[in-house]
Amino acid sequence: MTSSAPAPVPSVLDLAPVIPVVVVAELGDAVPLARALVAGGLPAIEVTLRTPVALDAIRAIAAEVPDAVVGAGTVISARHVADSVAAGARFLVSPGWTDALLTAAQGSGVPFLPGVSTASEVVALLERGVTEMKFFPAEAAGGTAYLKSLGAPLPQARFCPTGGITAGTAPTYLALKNVGCVGGSWMLPADAVAAKDWARVESLAREAASLR
Protein backbone atom coordinates (compact mmCIF):
# COMPACT_ATOMS: atom_id res chain seq x y z
CA MET A 1 0.00 0.00 0.00
CA THR A 2 1.47 3.35 -1.02
CA SER A 3 1.85 6.14 1.50
CA SER A 4 -0.28 9.27 1.18
CA ALA A 5 2.28 11.42 2.98
CA PRO A 6 3.23 14.60 1.09
CA ALA A 7 6.46 14.59 -0.85
CA PRO A 8 9.43 16.28 0.83
CA VAL A 9 10.18 19.87 -0.07
CA PRO A 10 13.54 20.06 -1.90
CA SER A 11 13.98 23.82 -1.41
CA VAL A 12 11.46 26.21 0.06
CA LEU A 13 13.31 29.09 -1.59
CA ASP A 14 12.44 27.82 -5.06
CA LEU A 15 8.69 27.27 -4.68
CA ALA A 16 7.63 30.86 -5.41
CA PRO A 17 9.15 34.35 -5.33
CA VAL A 18 7.21 35.18 -2.17
CA ILE A 19 6.37 33.21 0.95
CA PRO A 20 3.29 34.72 2.62
CA VAL A 21 3.83 35.20 6.35
CA VAL A 22 0.46 34.44 7.91
CA VAL A 23 -0.87 35.17 11.38
CA VAL A 24 -4.11 33.23 11.81
CA ALA A 25 -6.31 34.76 14.48
CA GLU A 26 -9.49 32.83 13.62
CA LEU A 27 -9.18 29.16 12.81
CA GLY A 28 -12.03 29.37 10.31
CA ASP A 29 -9.93 31.70 8.15
CA ALA A 30 -7.06 29.26 7.70
CA VAL A 31 -8.37 27.08 4.87
CA PRO A 32 -10.03 29.76 2.70
CA LEU A 33 -7.01 32.03 3.16
CA ALA A 34 -4.64 29.25 2.11
CA ARG A 35 -6.81 28.38 -0.88
CA ALA A 36 -6.74 32.00 -2.01
CA LEU A 37 -2.95 32.18 -1.73
CA VAL A 38 -2.46 28.92 -3.63
CA ALA A 39 -4.92 29.98 -6.33
CA GLY A 40 -2.90 33.17 -6.72
CA GLY A 41 0.31 31.22 -7.26
CA LEU A 42 1.84 31.24 -3.78
CA PRO A 43 1.88 27.61 -2.58
CA ALA A 44 4.42 27.99 0.25
CA ILE A 45 2.61 29.41 3.28
CA GLU A 46 4.33 30.23 6.56
CA VAL A 47 1.86 30.12 9.46
CA THR A 48 3.49 31.82 12.41
CA LEU A 49 3.20 30.30 15.87
CA ARG A 50 1.97 33.58 17.31
CA THR A 51 -1.64 32.69 18.05
CA PRO A 52 -3.35 29.94 20.07
CA VAL A 53 -4.87 28.44 16.90
CA ALA A 54 -1.67 28.37 14.82
CA LEU A 55 -1.01 24.64 15.10
CA ASP A 56 -4.65 23.84 14.37
CA ALA A 57 -4.45 26.16 11.37
CA ILE A 58 -1.42 24.26 10.06
CA ARG A 59 -3.24 21.00 10.63
CA ALA A 60 -6.33 22.22 8.76
CA ILE A 61 -4.36 23.57 5.79
CA ALA A 62 -2.30 20.39 5.54
CA ALA A 63 -5.47 18.30 5.52
CA GLU A 64 -7.73 20.41 3.31
CA VAL A 65 -5.48 22.33 0.89
CA PRO A 66 -3.39 19.63 -0.82
CA ASP A 67 -1.65 22.04 -3.19
CA ALA A 68 -0.35 24.16 -0.32
CA VAL A 69 3.11 23.64 1.15
CA VAL A 70 2.35 24.77 4.66
CA GLY A 71 5.13 25.63 7.08
CA ALA A 72 5.50 26.92 10.61
CA GLY A 73 7.10 30.25 11.43
CA THR A 74 8.34 31.79 14.68
CA VAL A 75 9.75 28.38 15.61
CA ILE A 76 11.99 29.03 18.60
CA SER A 77 12.16 25.77 20.56
CA ALA A 78 12.53 22.03 20.13
CA ARG A 79 8.92 21.71 21.30
CA HIS A 80 7.82 24.05 18.51
CA VAL A 81 9.70 21.86 16.03
CA ALA A 82 8.03 18.67 17.22
CA ASP A 83 4.55 20.15 17.47
CA SER A 84 4.76 21.82 14.07
CA VAL A 85 5.89 18.70 12.24
CA ALA A 86 3.22 16.66 14.03
CA ALA A 87 0.61 19.17 12.83
CA GLY A 88 1.72 18.74 9.23
CA ALA A 89 4.24 21.53 8.70
CA ARG A 90 6.47 20.78 5.70
CA PHE A 91 9.07 23.43 6.50
CA LEU A 92 10.13 25.46 9.54
CA VAL A 93 11.22 29.09 9.86
CA SER A 94 12.75 30.86 12.85
CA PRO A 95 13.60 34.51 13.57
CA GLY A 96 16.98 33.36 14.92
CA TRP A 97 18.71 30.19 15.97
CA THR A 98 20.61 28.41 18.71
CA ASP A 99 22.56 25.14 18.66
CA ALA A 100 19.69 23.35 20.41
CA LEU A 101 17.08 24.69 17.99
CA LEU A 102 19.21 23.86 14.96
CA THR A 103 19.83 20.32 16.20
CA ALA A 104 16.11 19.76 16.74
CA ALA A 105 15.22 21.22 13.36
CA GLN A 106 17.86 19.22 11.50
CA GLY A 107 16.49 16.06 13.09
CA SER A 108 12.91 16.86 12.10
CA GLY A 109 13.10 15.64 8.52
CA VAL A 110 11.75 18.88 7.04
CA PRO A 111 13.59 21.94 5.65
CA PHE A 112 14.51 24.66 8.14
CA LEU A 113 15.22 28.32 7.45
CA PRO A 114 17.08 29.65 10.50
CA GLY A 115 17.04 33.39 10.94
CA VAL A 116 20.28 35.38 10.64
CA SER A 117 21.21 39.04 10.61
CA THR A 118 25.02 38.98 10.78
CA ALA A 119 27.89 37.51 8.77
CA SER A 120 29.08 35.56 11.81
CA GLU A 121 25.72 33.79 12.09
CA VAL A 122 25.87 32.88 8.41
CA VAL A 123 29.38 31.44 8.78
CA ALA A 124 28.33 29.46 11.85
CA LEU A 125 25.43 27.93 9.93
CA LEU A 126 27.62 27.11 6.94
CA GLU A 127 29.87 25.19 9.35
CA ARG A 128 26.80 23.12 10.26
CA GLY A 129 25.95 22.40 6.64
CA VAL A 130 23.13 24.93 6.34
CA THR A 131 23.11 26.98 3.13
CA GLU A 132 19.52 28.31 3.07
CA MET A 133 18.53 30.89 5.67
CA LYS A 134 16.05 33.57 6.57
CA PHE A 135 17.51 37.10 6.68
CA PHE A 136 15.60 38.85 9.46
CA PRO A 137 14.62 41.57 10.16
CA ALA A 138 15.55 42.39 6.58
CA GLU A 139 14.94 46.11 6.35
CA ALA A 140 16.13 46.89 9.87
CA ALA A 141 19.23 44.69 9.50
CA GLY A 142 20.60 46.41 6.41
CA GLY A 143 18.31 45.44 3.57
CA THR A 144 19.53 44.80 0.05
CA ALA A 145 22.84 46.58 0.59
CA TYR A 146 23.78 44.21 3.40
CA LEU A 147 22.70 41.10 1.49
CA LYS A 148 24.61 42.19 -1.59
CA SER A 149 27.73 42.65 0.56
CA LEU A 150 27.39 39.10 1.90
CA GLY A 151 27.25 37.68 -1.61
CA ALA A 152 30.94 38.02 -2.50
CA PRO A 153 32.56 36.39 0.58
CA LEU A 154 29.70 33.92 1.23
CA PRO A 155 28.27 32.97 -2.18
CA GLN A 156 27.14 29.55 -0.99
CA ALA A 157 24.50 31.09 1.31
CA ARG A 158 21.01 31.74 -0.06
CA PHE A 159 18.39 33.79 1.73
CA CYS A 160 14.71 34.46 2.21
CA PRO A 161 14.72 38.08 3.46
CA THR A 162 11.72 38.84 5.68
CA GLY A 163 10.74 41.85 7.73
CA GLY A 164 9.47 45.16 6.42
CA ILE A 165 9.44 44.07 2.78
CA THR A 166 6.64 45.41 0.59
CA ALA A 167 5.35 44.86 -2.92
CA GLY A 168 7.41 47.88 -3.94
CA THR A 169 10.70 46.75 -2.42
CA ALA A 170 10.43 43.01 -3.07
CA PRO A 171 11.74 43.17 -6.68
CA THR A 172 14.99 44.80 -5.51
CA TYR A 173 15.59 41.90 -3.14
CA LEU A 174 14.62 39.31 -5.72
CA ALA A 175 17.16 40.75 -8.16
CA LEU A 176 20.02 39.71 -5.86
CA LYS A 177 21.82 36.49 -6.77
CA ASN A 178 21.79 35.20 -3.19
CA VAL A 179 18.05 35.73 -2.66
CA GLY A 180 15.79 32.81 -3.51
CA CYS A 181 12.53 34.37 -2.38
CA VAL A 182 11.22 36.93 0.09
CA GLY A 183 8.77 36.68 2.96
CA GLY A 184 6.00 39.19 3.47
CA SER A 185 2.41 39.81 4.41
CA TRP A 186 1.37 42.64 2.11
CA MET A 187 -0.90 40.29 0.16
CA LEU A 188 -2.87 39.75 3.37
CA PRO A 189 -4.12 43.24 4.30
CA ALA A 190 -5.92 43.24 7.64
CA ASP A 191 -9.11 44.73 6.22
CA ALA A 192 -9.34 42.06 3.52
CA VAL A 193 -8.85 39.25 6.03
CA ALA A 194 -11.37 40.80 8.43
CA ALA A 195 -13.92 41.07 5.62
CA LYS A 196 -13.01 37.56 4.42
CA ASP A 197 -12.41 39.05 1.00
CA TRP A 198 -10.52 36.05 -0.31
CA ALA A 199 -10.87 37.23 -3.91
CA ARG A 200 -8.78 40.28 -3.04
CA VAL A 201 -6.20 38.12 -1.29
CA GLU A 202 -6.01 35.90 -4.37
CA SER A 203 -5.55 38.94 -6.62
CA LEU A 204 -2.75 40.34 -4.44
CA ALA A 205 -1.14 36.90 -4.27
CA ARG A 206 -1.19 36.69 -8.06
CA GLU A 207 0.58 40.03 -8.29
CA ALA A 208 3.20 38.82 -5.78
CA ALA A 209 3.70 35.57 -7.67
CA SER A 210 4.48 37.52 -10.84
CA LEU A 211 7.34 39.50 -9.27
CA ARG A 212 9.91 37.10 -10.71
Side-chain angles (χ1 to χ4, degrees), residues 28-47:
D29 290 344
V31 167
L33 184 154
R35 286 176 175 156
L37 292 171
V38 171
L42 300 180
I45 301 169
E46 176 188 336
V47 177

Side-chain angles (χ1 to χ4, degrees), residues 121-200:
E121 290 173 308
V122 176
V123 171
L125 285 172
L126 291 173
E127 284 186 348
R128 298 282 294 268
V130 178
T131 59
E132 297 187 346
M133 312 167 195
K134 170 181 178 175
F135 180 61
F136 178 82
E139 286 288 283
T144 55
Y146 193 94
L147 280 171
K148 186 175 182 179
S149 296
L150 288 178
L154 302 168
Q156 63 272 57
R158 296 178 72 216
F159 301 95
C160 173
T162 306
I165 298 176
T166 67
T169 60
T172 308
Y173 281 93
L174 291 168
L176 298 176
K177 292 180 180 180
N178 58 351
V179 170
C181 64
V182 300
S185 56
W186 71 84
M187 73 297 298
L188 297 162
D191 57 342
V193 175
K196 306 189 188 307
D197 187 352
W198 308 125
R200 183 180 170 201

